[in-house]
Amino acid sequence: MRHLLTESLRWHPGRPAWGAAAVATLGCALPLLLGLFSGHPGFLWATVGAFQAAKANPLHRFGMLRMLLLIALGACSAGLGFWSATHPLISLGLFAFYGLLLAWLQRYGNEAGKLGIGLAICLCLGQGQYGIADFNNPYAIAILFALGGLWVTLLAFGMRGVHGLRMWPYMPRLMSLLRVLRRHARRTPIRQWRQHALTYVLACALGGAIVELADLPRGYWLTLAVFTTLQLDMERSLMRALQACLGVLGAAAILIYMGHSLADPPLMVMILLPLIFFGRAFQAHHYGLFVLQATLGFLLLAETLAQDWNLPQMRLINATIGVGIALGATLVMYLLRRLITRRSSKRPQATAQEDQARDATTPRS
């Protein structure tokens, strides 16, 4: 354990976490300060786009390719979430699709799962930010998101030039990439994955529909609680599921209490920038920790410039409902899995009893 901790914190030229942290901090600082001085909500989306792009390390071999992929897909997800905020059925279908997409990406390893959870968070923020400010154009949101990400990309290209690296690395071979993905997919049995995906689809669709039908303000607290809770290995046991739900709910309560106590956008910006720096410098490799870290960062960015911290109860209620939805969907699938296992175990016993009865009634020659 000590050796692993030392290796994870060590700086070396192949993985300069401090450089990526500086790019993330500078990329988020400019739109945050512009939004703080101007009060325009569009800079929030530029900040979110910058934070999404900064998840990729620009000095890795395929870091720039991953960064552009995060920007393009994240902008589409945020725009789709904002567009679906006035259509309950479309929102239900879209959240069900993203739940299925997240479960599908998790089959191909942790890095693909990290891409999926980032897109799901952008979708939740897009839907939950609708109606908060006089800004109701999904195309403008997607463009502002992309501009914030491209600002980080410009900084990343500059850092690659300082380190004497190619501006654009060699592209990966498609067949090699497909072989690696197929190898990851074979680790999970298809029957287990189908139950896993069905849990995601049911919980995410229900969360997106409730936000629309109940017209909940700051609805991303609900949907983010659903996505985050489902990522914490809840399907292992009922005790594990309960611990995950209590952990997410406790973290949400602490975050809401801190935001309500501060309730000062300049002070929150001053606190957030060091958190972004150290959070990116020590970005978690473990999937569950990465989900918590990314969700916390996106929530802080979305709430930094908020002016309604005098109503913390609506955030806590939304988070509680989201955790309850995730726990309920997990319990339903757990009981269904137990029922299927019991029936499958009874079938061989019934077949054996029928064979014994047939042998007993068959006359011997």
Side-chain angles (χ1 to χ4, degrees):
M1 179 63 69
R2 183 178 179 181
H3 174 71
L4 292 176
L5 181 61
T6 304
E7 287 296 324
S8 64
L9 298 181
R10 185 178 296 171
W11 185 92
H12 55 85
R15 191 181 55 190
W18 297 112
V23 168
T25 307
L26 290 176
C28 295
L30 179 62
L32 263 181
L33 294 177
L34 290 176
L36 184 64
F37 291 133
S38 66
H40 195 277
F43 290 106
L44 169 66
W45 293 107
T47 308
V48 173
F51 188 74
Q52 170 78 348
K55 292 298 179 186
N57 193 332
L59 298 188
H60 283 176
R61 181 182 176 186
F62 303 122
M64 299 306 299
L65 179 62
R66 184 184 177 189
M67 185 176 291
L68 294 180
L69 186 66
L70 288 172
I71 294 170
L73 296 180
C76 292
S77 299
L80 283 174
F82 199 87
W83 168 70
S84 66
T86 55
H87 306 86
L89 291 179
I90 295 178
S91 181
L92 186 147
L94 196 59
F95 272 84
F97 171 74
Y98 268 74
L100 180 62
L101 178 65
L102 178 56
W104 179 70
L105 287 173
Q106 284 181 353
R107 291 192 67 198
Y108 300 107
N110 287 340
E111 294 303 319
K114 291 175 182 179
L115 171 64
I117 191 63
L119 300 182
I121 292 174
C122 293
L123 177 73
C124 296
L125 292 180
Q127 184 208 37
Q129 286 285 338
Y130 183 84
I132 293 179
D134 297 331
F135 196 62
N136 55 3
N137 190 342
Y139 299 104
I141 284 174
I143 292 174
L144 288 170
F145 187 102
L147 287 176
L150 291 176
W151 158 239
V152 174
T153 305
L154 180 63
L155 295 175
F157 275 123
M159 190 170 69
R160 288 184 68 89
V162 169
H163 284 79
L165 299 176
R166 289 171 52 90
M167 288 295 100
W168 191 254
Y170 295 107
M171 296 296 292
R173 294 181 179 179
L174 181 59
M175 297 306 298
S176 301
L177 183 62
L178 292 178
R179 280 197 296 268
V180 173
L181 294 178
R182 193 179 300 113
R183 192 180 306 123
H184 279 288
R186 289 174 180 172
R187 296 178 181 177
T188 304
I190 188 63
R191 184 176 178 180
Q192 179 183 349
W193 177 81
R194 286 173 181 170
Q195 297 173 356
H196 180 72
L198 184 58
T199 305
Y200 279 30
V201 169
L202 290 176
C204 298
L206 185 59
I210 288 177
V211 171
E212 292 304 315
L213 294 175
D215 196 17
L216 296 176
R218 303 281 178 182
Y220 50 82
W221 283 89
L222 190 154
T223 50
L224 284 178
V226 173
F227 277 107
T228 304
T229 309
L230 288 174
Q231 308 305 305
L232 302 181
D233 296 333
M234 294 181 62
E235 298 180 356
R236 291 185 179 181
S237 64
L238 294 179
M239 184 57 65
R240 177 72 177 179
L242 186 60
Q243 290 175 354
C245 293
L246 292 177
V248 172
L249 195 58
I254 294 173
L255 186 60
I256 292 169
Y257 176 75
M258 292 177 60
H260 178 65
S261 300
L262 296 174
D264 186 13
L267 181 60
M268 294 183 72
V269 170
M270 292 175 60
I271 295 174
L272 180 59
L273 290 178
L275 289 178
I276 292 175
F277 179 83
F278 288 107
R280 184 57 189 88
F282 304 107
Q283 183 169 281
H285 295 283
H286 185 269
Y287 180 72
L289 294 178
F290 175 84
V291 171
L292 292 176
Q293 193 179 44
T295 306
L296 178 64
F298 277 107
L299 265 178
L300 289 174
L301 286 174
E303 296 284 349
T304 300
L305 305 178
Q307 302 292 335
D308 57 348
W309 274 110
N310 58 331
L311 300 173
Q313 61 274 11
M314 68 177 182
R315 294 172 170 84
L316 186 59
I317 291 173
N318 289 344
T320 305
I321 295 173
V323 170
I325 290 173
L327 180 60
T330 304
L331 290 177
V332 169
M333 295 308 300
Y334 177 80
L335 296 175
L336 182 61
R337 186 164 54 249
R338 290 288 300 272
L339 181 62
I340 294 174
T341 305
R342 186 176 301 175
R343 286 188 176 183
S344 60
S345 62
K346 285 182 178 180
R347 286 178 182 177
Q349 296 178 1
T351 305
Q353 292 176 359
E354 290 177 0
D355 293 339
Q356 292 177 0
R358 189 182 302 110
D359 293 341
T361 55
T362 301
R364 298 181 179 179
S365 58

